[in-house]
Amino acid sequence: VEKEFVRWLVENHRATEAPVVLGIGDDAAVLAPSSLYFGQEMIIATDAISDQIHFDSNIHSLERIGRKALAVNLSDIAAMGCRPVAALLSIVAPSDWKSDSARRLFSGFSRLAKHYHVAVVGGDTNSWGGRLVVGATIIGDSLAGAKRPFWPLDGASAGDVILVSGSFGGSILGKHLDFDPKLELAAFLAQNYHVNAATDVSDSLSLNLAALASASGCGCEVMVDKIPVSDAAVRLSHDDRQRQTALEHALYDGEDFELILAVPRAVADAIATDPKLPEPVTEIGVLTDSRSIVAVDADGVRRNLTIRGYEH
Amino acid sequence: VEKEFVRWLVENHRATEAPVVLGIGDDAAVLAPSSLYFGQEMIIATDAISDQIHFDSNIHSLERIGRKALAVNLSDIAAMGCRPVAALLSIVAPSDWKSDSARRLFSGFSRLAKHYHVAVVGGDTNSWGGRLVVGATIIGDSLAGAKRPFWPLDGASAGDVILVSGSFGGSILGKHLDFDPKLELAAFLAQNYHVNAATDVSDSLSLNLAALASASGCGCEVMVDKIPVSDAAVRLSHDDRQRQTALEHALYDGEDFELILAVPRAVADAIATDPKLPEPVTEIGVLTDSRSIVAVDADGVRRNLTIRGYEH
């Protein structure tokens, strides 16, 4: 697979525009720094997705799988409040792959890359006797004019308000594959507001929120009736085999790839009334100086929130 | 596996020295540019190794597997004439992994990283029903005082001399796992000599040499009696089941991870007599303006060289 695929990539998809000095086809890729690129901090993340865990190769097209491999990495860049610049694709393919399989996977990957002006600069292809694994590495930098060069996981303080994008639960019905990483929202917020801490929801809302609070040395109170519950979560809750409420799906399903943000009270209020905000965010709670994760219902009843999710 | 492993990493192995701004444990790692780091070109490569293809988890220890995952990526940086700076580790683990399995794999990875002053800044861990896949991404930069910022694959010209490090063949007997990437030799050469093109031998000497020649629009003549044949290749040639000569093992076995360099005649002569060269290199042929890959034996008899190798 590799030789023919790489030749095809070099002939058809070798990025040459800045900041790419040397693209696909060599032992490594070369990127040039400049005042625009890598002038500030450089951001780097890697995430792999594997068959029967993050996708099902019997059901999902290779284009959608390739797209997801990049999207989960772009979501990490969004969660840092940064900008993606370049990506590498690593394929560990079943030995029965046809010659166009790698191209189909790449086409889904590269179409999303183009959409976000990300150069695909290199990678790695191997065959083996096992199932498909697709790894990606994303390189980014701080946004021009950002209030902070990046958003850490551990920067929240007691009193910070918890904001989330989108809605939660039931991603298994489709969103886990076809979601749009929250890059536009993240860029707008990074350039206009001080965000103290952020992460994206890969494991579950409860798990990733608890991770942010814990890393920041905080606890939190979640107003569970304020959590935006997705239509998919409601649909799943009507399926008797699942035996979970829609709210439970929202709290415990994984792969929503929405943002969780911790911001000072005044910032939350400013964001809430900003007419230029690319998409709505929802206030769901507050960081506290305890270490417990507390659910508060509409009647003000408090209980410890169970923390679990899709830990793969 | 992931949660406990990442906690252990953050507590014990979170790099904080420059250029690391933010290490393991967040959505992404952050590196700072400076005059020392990323002041010039930034180099990036990714390579994955998988069970039963690049290692055998029934035989090889997790420490050695983790070491190899980084070493193959460091070899790519050596082949660029560059310096490694930071690495990410991506593990797709069998679901029956014990809690210390990830730590053992990491310890082999991080010990080699420390040896070359490479900061391990992030990664990804997943479990699945399949066998082990270990991916790594390496970030590097141009060496201070390098004659060229990097060595491309396609920079050779007709008349350039082909130099190789080390010896070839039989890596399956052990070298494929425990080889030392040729970073010291590469750094010395990069800082002292103009190297036109380079690559490392992962697929095979014949395949990677042909790839360098082809990318450069050249052919080559290889003096096959000059090829350094490893003791392991000789040992394998005595095994009747293999039915290959030691020279054939040297030409067609994969994973030697030695360097192939194309340099002008005068540079080759200077290198040959340089008393400070960290390890010997051997002249095995010359690039030509034809497109054919020709083997020339000790009697001057010419034939087209068969090109094949360990294409995984």
Side-chain angles (χ1 to χ4, degrees):
Chain A
V1 171
E2 177 155 33
K3 222 173 158 183
E4 190 200 349
F5 176 52
V6 172
R7 193 182 308 123
W8 175 80
L9 288 173
V10 170
E11 284 166 8
N12 297 283
H13 295 279
R14 188 175 210 183
T16 52
E17 68 278 16
V20 182
V21 177
L22 185 65
I24 293 167
D26 212 308
D27 298 301
V30 180
L31 304 179
S34 80
S35 56
L36 246 178
Y37 297 98
F38 306 121
Q40 303 184 54
E41 273 76 3
M42 183 199 132
I43 318 296
I44 181 154
T46 190
D47 250 330
I49 59 174
S50 46
D51 199 359
Q52 307 303 315
I53 301 290
H54 305 90
F55 60 84
D56 183 341
S57 63
N58 300 313
I59 297 171
H60 304 131
S61 72
L62 289 168
E63 288 83 352
R64 289 173 84 194
I65 295 167
R67 184 190 186 281
K68 178 170 181 176
L70 180 58
V72 300
N73 280 278
L74 292 176
S75 185
D76 282 328
I77 296 295
M80 300 300 286
C82 293
R83 178 182 68 150
V85 173
L88 296 94
L89 170 63
S90 178
I91 305 172
V92 183
S95 48
D96 64 354
W97 256 26
K98 298 187 188 64
S99 66
D100 73 333
S101 300
R103 297 183 191 186
R104 288 172 51 208
L105 190 139
F106 181 83
S107 77
F109 189 93
S110 76
R111 194 173 308 128
L112 188 65
K114 277 207 181 72
H115 180 77
Y116 289 111
H117 307 290
V118 172
V120 183
V121 295
D124 177 38
T125 313
N126 289 287
S127 292
W128 75 327
R131 284 178 168 276
L132 177 63
V133 176
V134 188
T137 299
I138 187 89
I139 303 139
D141 64 3
S142 299
L143 283 146
K147 300 285 182 190
R148 293 195 162 143
F150 61 90
W151 298 336
L153 185 68
D154 62 2
S157 305
D160 280 356
V161 171
I162 303 161
L163 303 178
V164 295
S165 65
S167 63
F168 294 84
S171 75
I172 192 70
L173 296 185
K175 184 184 178 189
H176 79 101
L177 260 185
D178 302 320
F179 69 97
D180 291 317
K182 299 293 174 176
L183 287 164
E184 199 194 346
L185 174 63
F188 178 84
L189 292 174
Q191 289 173 318
N192 291 284
Y193 295 102
H194 282 280
V195 172
N196 287 341
T199 193
D200 65 331
V201 176
S202 50
D203 299 330
S204 81
L205 176 56
S206 64
L207 254 174
N208 292 112
L209 175 56
L212 183 150
S214 165
S216 301
C218 295
C220 66
E221 289 180 1
V222 183
M223 300 173 291
V224 287
D225 61 315
K226 296 282 194 278
I227 292 173
V229 177
S230 71
D231 294 344
V234 174
R235 282 210 301 285
L236 276 187
S237 71
H238 294 152
D239 179 339
D240 285 345
R241 286 166 303 184
Q242 299 278 341
R243 295 171 182 282
Q244 286 202 113
T245 65
L247 177 62
E248 286 168 336
H249 281 290
L251 281 166
Y252 304 126
D253 289 356
E255 302 212 307
D256 294 295
F257 298 107
E258 297 293 345
L259 295 179
I260 302 175
L261 307 157
V263 300
R265 174 83 264 162
V267 172
D269 293 343
I271 291 173
T273 57
D274 189 329
K276 291 184 179 158
L277 197 66
E279 60 176 293
V281 295
T282 307
E283 181 177 330
I284 64 163
V286 65
L287 277 295
T288 62
D289 57 8
S290 83
R291 294 303 294 254
S292 47
I293 311 293
V294 176
V296 185
D297 70 17
D299 300 322
V301 178
R302 302 161 60 90
R303 61 182 170 83
N304 281 326
L305 184 66
T306 303
I307 308 298
R308 62 183 158 80
Y310 184 57
E311 290 186 83
H312 28 255
Chain B
V1 170
E2 177 155 33
K3 221 172 159 184
E4 190 199 350
F5 176 51
V6 172
R7 193 180 310 121
W8 175 79
L9 287 173
V10 170
E11 285 166 9
N12 297 282
H13 296 278
R14 189 174 208 186
T16 52
E17 68 278 17
V20 182
V21 177
L22 186 64
I24 293 167
D26 212 308
D27 297 302
V30 180
L31 304 179
S34 79
S35 56
L36 245 178
Y37 296 98
F38 307 120
Q40 305 185 51
E41 272 77 2
M42 183 198 132
I43 318 295
I44 182 152
T46 190
D47 251 329
I49 60 175
S50 47
D51 199 359
Q52 306 303 314
I53 302 288
H54 304 90
F55 60 84
D56 183 342
S57 63
N58 299 313
I59 297 172
H60 304 131
S61 72
L62 289 169
E63 287 84 353
R64 290 174 83 194
I65 295 167
R67 182 189 187 281
K68 178 170 181 175
L70 180 59
V72 299
N73 280 277
L74 293 176
S75 185
D76 282 328
I77 297 295
M80 299 301 284
C82 293
R83 179 181 69 149
V85 172
L88 296 95
L89 170 63
S90 178
I91 304 172
V92 182
S95 49
D96 63 354
W97 255 27
K98 298 186 188 66
S99 66
D100 74 332
S101 300
R103 298 183 189 187
R104 288 172 52 208
L105 190 140
F106 181 84
S107 77
F109 189 94
S110 77
R111 193 174 308 129
L112 187 65
K114 278 209 179 71
H115 180 77
Y116 289 111
H117 307 289
V118 171
V120 183
V121 296
D124 176 39
T125 314
N126 289 287
S127 292
W128 76 328
R131 287 178 164 276
L132 176 62
V133 176
V134 188
T137 298
I138 186 88
I139 303 139
D141 64 2
S142 299
L143 284 145
K147 300 286 182 189
R148 294 194 162 144
F150 61 90
W151 299 337
L153 185 67
D154 62 1
S157 304
D160 279 357
V161 171
I162 303 161
L163 302 178
V164 294
S165 65
S167 62
F168 294 84
S171 74
I172 192 72
L173 296 184
K175 184 185 178 188
H176 80 100
L177 260 185
D178 301 321
F179 69 96
D180 292 315
K182 299 293 174 174
L183 287 165
E184 197 193 349
L185 174 63
F188 178 84
L189 292 174
Q191 289 173 318
N192 291 283
Y193 295 104
H194 282 280
V195 172
N196 287 341
T199 192
D200 65 330
V201 176
S202 51
D203 299 329
S204 79
L205 176 55
S206 64
L207 254 175
N208 293 111
L209 175 56
L212 182 151
S214 166
S216 301
C218 295
C220 68
E221 289 179 1
V222 183
M223 302 174 293
V224 287
D225 61 315
K226 297 283 195 278
I227 293 173
V229 176
S230 71
D231 293 346
V234 173
R235 283 211 299 287
L236 275 189
S237 71
H238 295 153
D239 180 339
D240 286 344
R241 286 167 301 184
Q242 299 277 341
R243 294 173 183 281
Q244 286 204 114
T245 65
L247 176 62
E248 286 169 335
H249 281 290
L251 282 165
Y252 304 125
D253 288 356
E255 303 210 307
D256 295 295
F257 298 108
E258 298 293 345
L259 296 179
I260 301 175
L261 307 158
V263 300
R265 175 82 263 165
V267 171
D269 293 342
I271 291 173
T273 57
D274 189 328
K276 291 183 180 158
L277 197 67
E279 60 175 291
V281 295
T282 307
E283 181 177 330
I284 64 162
V286 64
L287 276 296
T288 63
D289 56 10
S290 83
R291 294 302 295 253
S292 47
I293 311 292
V294 176
V296 185
D297 70 17
D299 300 322
V301 177
R302 300 161 61 89
R303 61 184 169 82
N304 282 326
L305 184 67
T306 303
I307 308 298
R308 63 183 159 78
Y310 185 56
E311 289 186 83
H312 28 255

